[in-house]
Amino acid sequence: MSGTPADSQSAPPGGHIVNWTGRFRQWGVRTLPPDKLLPETQPSYVASWIYVFGMGAIAALLYVIVSGVILGLNGPAWYHVSATGHFINSTHLWGVELFFMFMVIHLWGKFWMASWRGGRALTWITGVISFVVSIVTAFTGYLLQTNFDSQWIAFQAKDALNSVGVGAWFNVANLGQILMWHIVLLPLAVGAVVVLHVLLVRVHGVVPPLEASETDAQLRPSGSAAQGGNPS
């Protein structure tokens, strides 16, 4: 045989890519170039506090994941009895509360800014979906407290879920099933949607305020050039 498999799959002189890995790489670089994925500068309006709460929600989510992994590895007997376990369990709850506080502020702030402008509808949709999935995740975590309150809520919720026909596969009275929903399935869903949301923000850029001009949406140079060359 003449040639090697690598030669047969290489790009022809014209630059046409013939295999799916090359086409996928080309699409990825075209859709999300490195300067968008990891930008060195941001528009001037990002200095406003309203843009901080999205990052605050992500930071709180990262702590919730880390503390949740610690709790999952040590188990209920540890975080119900050990002083350290009590502390980690409490900070896990506080992280969730901060996460929802930052997310609600971020959600409402972007709503009043009409952040779906400029082809950002999918960015807005993924943000709303992440909020809804996070509510279900927090609910399953509340049921894992294994105290009287969580058991009462679980059986009240079971009646509601049975009435809409989903109680057979989402049995909130089954502690083992809820544990797996809380530590595996729902965190994966939240993480996937949040990552997609962040990537969409990188692709389309941070939404400008409603009163911002079109030029303000671009990256501004520093120094006197930003003022039209007038140093005064």
Side-chain angles (χ1 to χ4, degrees):
M1 296 178 61
S2 62
T4 62
D7 294 334
S8 64
Q9 293 181 5
S10 61
H16 178 66
I17 299 177
V18 296
N19 56 20
W20 70 269
T21 54
R23 289 193 296 269
F24 182 75
R25 182 189 68 246
Q26 190 179 57
W27 172 84
V29 173
R30 183 176 64 252
T31 304
L32 194 64
D35 59 333
K36 281 189 174 183
L37 183 61
L38 297 172
E40 296 181 5
T41 55
Q42 290 288 351
S44 59
Y45 49 76
V46 177
S48 174
W49 272 100
I50 193 61
Y51 291 94
V52 175
F53 295 102
M55 193 63 230
I58 293 177
L61 177 62
L62 291 176
Y63 180 78
V64 168
I65 293 174
V66 172
S67 59
V69 169
I70 297 173
L71 294 173
L73 290 175
N74 289 278
W78 177 72
Y79 60 75
H80 277 314
V81 177
S82 167
T84 305
H86 274 302
F87 176 77
I88 299 297
N89 194 22
S90 298
T91 57
H92 183 74
L93 173 63
W94 299 339
V96 172
E97 292 175 347
L98 284 174
F99 172 70
F100 275 101
M101 182 184 74
F102 291 148
M103 183 178 282
V104 168
I105 296 174
H106 180 64
L107 184 67
W108 277 108
K110 296 307 175 183
F111 175 80
W112 293 112
M113 291 172 62
S115 62
W116 48 83
R117 293 175 287 125
R120 297 179 177 89
L122 187 58
T123 308
W124 167 259
I125 292 171
T126 53
V128 174
I129 292 175
S130 65
F131 178 68
V132 174
V133 178
S134 298
I135 292 176
V136 182
T137 309
F139 172 69
T140 56
Y142 183 79
L143 298 181
L144 293 178
Q145 294 183 105
T146 60
N147 55 19
F148 178 79
D149 290 339
S150 64
Q151 292 178 23
W152 176 264
I153 295 297
F155 280 93
Q156 295 298 315
K158 181 174 175 57
D159 292 338
L161 293 171
N162 286 341
S163 67
V164 296
V166 298
W169 59 274
F170 189 63
N171 185 5
V172 292
N174 187 333
L175 186 63
Q177 184 186 116
I178 293 301
L179 176 65
M180 297 309 297
W181 273 99
H182 184 71
I183 68 175
V184 178
L185 300 177
L186 291 173
L188 286 175
V190 173
V193 177
V194 168
V195 168
L196 177 60
H197 180 74
V198 173
L199 290 177
L200 288 171
V201 171
R202 293 302 189 192
V203 170
H204 298 289
V206 181
V207 64
L210 289 171
E211 66 274 10
S213 63
E214 291 297 327
T215 56
D216 198 36
Q218 307 301 316
L219 299 180
R220 286 185 169 182
S222 59
S224 59
Q227 303 175 4
N230 184 5
S232 60

